[in-house]
Amino acid sequence: MTDNSQHILTVSQLTADIKRILERGIPRSWVQGEVSNLTLHSSGHIYFTLKDAATQVRCVMFRSNAQHLLVLPQDGMQVIVQGDVTVFERAGQYQLNVQQLQVAGQGELALAFERLKKKLAGEGLFDEARKRSLPRFPKAIGIVTSPTGAAIRDIIKVARRRWPGIELVLYPVQVQGAGAARQIADAIAAFNEHGAVDLLIVGRGGGSIEDLWAFNEEATARAIFDSKIPVVSAVGHEVDYTIADFVADVRAPTPSAAAEICLPDAREVASQLDDSLARLANALTGLADNYAGRLRALRNSYGMGRLADLCGQKQQQLDWLAERMAQQAKGFLRERRHAVERLGSALTALDPSGVLSRGYSICRDAKGRTIRTAKTLKTGDAVMAQFSEGRAVLNVKKAMP
Amino acid sequence: MKRQKQAAFKFEQALARVEQIVEKMESGEIELDQALALYREGTELMAKCREALQQVQRSITRLTRDGDGRLRTEEQSTEA
C-alpha cells in the first residue's frame, strides 16, 4: 500500500479520466466496417458491433439519429459511420456514438437485398401457389402509404375515376426511414384486424433505392405474407423491384397502376350492362317471334288441315242428322195427328145422344140414376125415359128381371 | 345503414346471374312464361347494378390506432 493516498483512484475516477481523454482526444471520425450483433431495440436505439478482420468496436446509434436512417443496417453489411468515441461508464467500455450511418456503396444494398430475397424465397414467401387472385368488384380498398405523398393522391384519383363508389380506407404511415417498415407491418396487421376491406394496396411513390428501402425489409415482407387480405404492392416506378413486390399477391408497377389493377372501369361495366340488356331484349323478342312462327306453321300444317277437314265433316254430318231428326219429328207429328183424329171419331161413336138418335132411350129412377137392370124395379115405380127428343114419365106395370 | 344495403347486394354475383340469364334466354330452350320471369329478374338485377355504378364516394376513411391500441376510423373529405 502506498503512503500517498492522493494517487489512489476509484474505478469511477479512472473511468472518468479515460472518458475525458478519449472524448476530447479523438475527434468525430468516419469509420468503415462490417455490422454484426445488430440489435434494434424497441426504444428506437440501435446497437451493433463494427468489425474488420482484426478487431471490433461497439457502436450505439440513438433514436434521435436512427430515426433519420433510410436503410437500417443489417448483420454482414459494410457501412460507414460517423461518430464520437464515448465511454459507457457502467460497463467501462468505449464505444462509438454514431451520428450518421451509410451503407458502403450500392453494392452493399444489392447484397442485402439478395440475402433477404434468398432467405424469404427459401421459406416459401414468394411461392406463386399461395398467391390469391383479387376480387373482381371490391367494395372497399385499404391503403397503406403516406398521407401526404404522391401515391395516395394518385390512388384516390384513379380509383374514383374508375369506380366512383369505391370505399377507400387509408392507414397513414411513414414510408421511409427507420421504423417505416415496422409501421407498414403494423398497418397491414391493423387492416386484418379491422376486416372491412377486400384488398390492400401497400406502397409509395418513386425515390432512390434508399428511399424505397422500407419495402425491402423483412418486417414488411412478413406482414404482407401474413395478411389474410390480398395485397397489391405498388412501390416506386415501373423499374423498381422490392422484396414486397415478390411477396405481394400482385405487383403493380406504380400506385396509379395499382388502382387500375384493383378496380374495373365503371364505364366499361355500364356498357357491358347495356349490351346484356340488348341481348336480353333480343332474346325475348326472338323467343316471341319463334313462338309466333311455330303457331303460324301449326295453323298451316297438314295436321291442322286434317283437323279442319274433320271438323267440316263432322259439321256436315251434324247438319244431316239434324235434318233427319227434323223430318222424323215431322212424320211423328203427322202420325200423332192422325191418331188423334181417329180417337175423335171413336169418341163420337160413344156419345149417348148418337145412340138416342138411333131410337134407343135411357131410363132413370127418381134420383136420376140410369137404370141398367129390371131387378130394382117394382110395380108402380115411376121412371123417367129420355128419348132423342124429349122425355116421358112411365109407370111400371110389371117388372120382369 | 349504407353499408348494410351494400352488403346485401353483391355486384359480382348480380353480374354473373345477369350473364347466366342472358345465355339461357339466348339458348332459346325455354318456356315462354319462364322466359318472361327471367327477363324480369334480369332487368331488375341490371337496374340494381346500374344504381351501384352511379354511387359516388366523396370521402376516404382514415384508420389509425389510438394510444390504447384500439382501431379508430375517421371520415375525411377528398373533395378538391
Side-chain angles (χ1 to χ4, degrees):
Chain A
M1 195 169 261
T2 169
D3 54 359
N4 191 346
S5 59
Q6 270 189 321
H7 290 99
I8 299 174
L9 303 174
T10 62
V11 175
S12 295
Q13 285 167 336
L14 176 66
T15 301
D17 285 345
I18 292 169
K19 182 177 167 72
R20 194 167 50 245
I21 293 163
L22 285 183
E23 291 182 359
R24 287 185 186 165
I26 302 176
R28 181 170 286 192
S29 337
W30 288 97
V31 184
Q32 178 166 350
E34 182 189 322
V35 174
S36 65
N37 296 321
L38 180 89
T39 306
L40 302 172
H41 199 270
S42 59
S43 61
H45 309 325
I46 301 173
Y47 302 94
F48 57 97
T49 301
L50 207 57
K51 64 178 187 184
D52 62 15
T55 185
Q56 58 184 40
V57 58
R58 289 291 304 162
C59 295
V60 57
M61 191 170 193
F62 291 111
R63 188 183 131 91
S64 55
N65 294 315
Q67 68 188 0
H68 302 301
L69 279 177
L70 290 177
V71 180
L72 284 177
Q74 295 174 6
D75 283 341
M77 194 181 259
Q78 280 286 330
V79 296
I80 302 168
V81 301
Q82 185 194 45
D84 304 317
V85 174
T86 65
V87 172
F88 179 40
E89 289 163 88
R90 263 185 84 88
Q93 283 179 341
Y94 73 91
Q95 61 183 17
L96 268 178
N97 179 354
V98 177
Q99 306 296 312
Q100 291 185 58
L101 182 147
Q102 288 173 9
V103 176
Q106 298 275 314
E108 276 304 309
L109 283 179
L111 276 176
F113 181 91
E114 290 305 327
R115 260 200 308 272
L116 184 60
K117 189 177 159 194
K118 194 173 167 195
K119 174 182 168 188
L120 298 182
E123 289 182 36
L125 265 70
F126 307 157
D127 286 357
E128 287 300 320
R130 63 161 289 276
K131 299 205 172 186
R132 291 154 295 195
S133 54
L134 305 179
R136 216 174 132 207
F137 297 101
K139 269 199 273 295
I141 296 178
I143 305 163
V144 178
T145 192
S146 159
T148 54
I152 185 66
R153 283 199 310 274
D154 291 350
I155 291 169
I156 291 172
K157 194 176 75 190
V158 175
R160 288 284 150 76
R161 189 185 71 218
R162 287 181 74 82
W163 198 269
I166 189 66
E167 281 181 53
L168 299 174
V169 185
L170 168 70
Y171 195 110
V173 293
Q174 239 181 284
V175 290
Q176 64 188 50
R182 192 67 262 156
Q183 284 188 28
I184 293 166
D186 286 346
I188 293 169
F191 271 118
N192 277 275
E193 186 185 325
H194 181 56
V197 299
D198 305 309
L199 59 89
L200 293 177
I201 297 175
V202 178
R204 57 155 291 152
S208 68
I209 183 171
E210 289 88 355
D211 289 336
L212 307 185
W213 197 253
F215 296 89
N216 285 325
E217 288 189 46
E218 191 165 349
T220 303
R222 295 217 179 267
I224 293 173
F225 181 76
D226 289 339
S227 177
K228 302 273 181 291
I229 305 167
V231 175
V232 176
S233 66
V235 184
H237 298 301
E238 189 117 28
V239 293
D240 300 318
Y241 270 86
T242 62
I243 297 289
D245 291 324
F246 294 112
V247 193
D249 295 289
V250 173
R251 171 194 184 254
T254 63
S256 300
E260 302 238 357
I261 289 168
C262 293
L263 287 166
D265 188 337
R267 283 165 302 185
E268 271 170 33
V269 177
S271 87
Q272 190 187 332
L273 275 176
D274 286 343
D275 184 52
S276 292
L277 187 62
R279 280 169 65 191
L280 199 60
N282 271 343
L284 189 66
T285 313
L287 219 58
D289 281 352
N290 182 276
Y291 273 98
R294 272 159 68 183
L295 213 58
R296 257 194 315 276
L298 212 56
R299 215 159 43 214
N300 299 334
S301 68
Y302 174 74
M304 196 48 116
R306 282 286 301 138
L307 197 64
D309 183 47
L310 211 62
C311 283
Q313 298 258 349
K314 290 285 170 200
Q315 188 67 45
Q316 210 173 339
Q317 196 175 0
L318 213 61
D319 288 347
W320 181 74
L321 277 172
E323 178 71 16
R324 277 193 52 190
M325 269 176 70
Q327 274 175 10
Q328 281 195 350
K330 255 184 249 168
F332 178 77
L333 280 174
R334 200 160 45 236
E335 232 166 73
R336 287 283 127 172
R337 200 156 51 237
H338 291 158
V340 169
E341 280 163 16
R342 272 199 308 277
L343 274 171
S345 42
L347 280 170
T348 314
L350 288 172
D351 187 351
S353 60
V355 179
L356 295 178
S357 68
R358 291 206 300 274
Y360 294 91
S361 61
I362 301 168
C363 290
R364 293 192 174 87
D365 63 16
K367 291 175 177 164
R369 292 178 297 207
T370 303
I371 299 162
R372 302 175 195 280
T373 172
K375 284 179 191 166
T376 57
L377 294 176
K378 295 184 296 279
T379 305
D381 281 352
V383 299
M384 171 78 81
Q386 183 174 357
F387 308 100
S388 182
E389 284 170 25
R391 293 176 295 184
V393 177
L394 309 174
N395 284 325
V396 177
K397 285 261 176 103
K398 185 181 180 191
M400 292 171 287
Chain B
M1 182 65 199
K2 186 180 71 185
R3 184 154 290 158
Q4 269 179 3
K5 192 181 150 200
Q6 290 194 336
F9 175 70
K10 295 231 188 298
F11 195 91
E12 187 155 13
Q13 284 177 11
L15 210 63
R17 177 69 182 142
V18 164
E19 196 58 32
Q20 195 182 23
I21 287 172
V22 170
E23 271 166 25
K24 182 143 196 189
M25 292 279 283
E26 285 182 338
S27 78
E29 318 252 310
I30 193 171
E31 298 288 333
L32 197 57
D33 54 351
Q34 202 195 348
L36 285 169
L38 283 177
Y39 180 80
R40 189 171 306 125
E41 188 190 346
T43 48
E44 278 168 11
L45 281 174
M46 281 186 231
K48 280 186 187 165
C49 286
R50 211 168 283 283
E51 196 182 308
L53 284 179
Q54 280 159 357
Q55 278 180 4
V56 178
Q57 290 277 342
R58 301 196 190 281
S59 64
I60 71 166
T61 306
R62 269 173 98 105
L63 180 67
T64 49
R65 218 183 261 285
D66 67 15
D68 300 327
R70 276 191 301 263
L71 291 172
R72 308 168 65 95
T73 57
E74 182 194 344
E75 292 288 310
Q76 190 179 28
S77 173
T78 51
E79 291 292 272

